[in-house]
Amino acid sequence: MEFIFHEKQEGSLCAQHCLNNLLQGEYFSPVELASIAHQLDEEERMRMAEGGVTSEDYRAFLQQPSGNMDDTGFFSIQVITNALKFWGLDVILLNSPAYQNMQYLTCLKLGHLSVCRPTN
């Protein structure tokens, strides 16, 4: 590797910076991650509609803001997981046996995402 790519943190776009630092390039923008979030929102809306579009639960669901993104730059773990799938990568939980074979680690601490390389 000739150089290490590091995208400087701007605002609250931890997910974008974490993904780009992990992938070592400018692969995801807030617009692209928002597109993934909107797709997830639509899938959730369709699933909720299966219970009936006139149901109280469905109407309450439509009144709620997206759980996949917000105006601060937050993106959900589902958005991050779907973004990584474009690259054939998976999210693995720390208590999973597969964790032992990981090359990179994405850490969530106090609402902030970062990429780490295990030292074991």
Side-chain angles (χ1 to χ4, degrees):
M1 182 181 299
E2 291 182 28
F3 64 93
I4 295 174
F5 176 85
H6 176 75
E7 186 172 78
K8 185 178 177 185
Q9 177 77 29
E10 292 180 16
S12 297
L13 296 168
C14 305
Q16 173 196 334
H17 302 305
C18 181
L19 287 166
N20 288 340
N21 290 337
L22 173 68
L23 297 169
Q24 289 292 285
E26 294 181 31
Y27 294 103
F28 290 102
S29 71
V31 172
E32 291 161 330
L33 294 176
S35 176
I36 295 170
H38 288 304
Q39 289 171 354
L40 290 168
D41 289 343
E42 182 60 19
E43 290 172 17
E44 290 170 8
R45 188 198 61 74
M46 289 182 350
R47 285 203 177 97
M48 288 296 294
E50 291 172 2
V53 295
T54 59
S55 73
E56 188 67 32
D57 287 342
Y58 181 73
R59 286 185 280 167
F61 174 79
L62 291 179
Q63 299 302 313
Q64 297 175 11
S66 172
N68 293 303
M69 64 176 276
D70 67 22
D71 292 341
T72 69
F74 163 81
F75 292 99
S76 70
I77 188 65
Q78 291 82 2
V79 171
I80 296 166
T81 300
N82 282 13
L84 288 173
K85 285 181 184 178
F86 287 122
W87 292 89
L89 300 172
D90 294 314
V91 171
I92 299 172
L93 300 177
L94 289 176
N95 61 356
S96 167
Y99 166 70
Q100 301 302 319
N101 299 322
M102 289 179 48
Q103 293 179 344
Y104 291 94
L105 175 64
T106 301
C107 305
L108 174 60
K109 183 177 180 183
L110 300 175
H112 183 78
L113 286 165
S114 60
V115 178
C116 310
R117 187 173 193 137
T119 59
N120 49 334

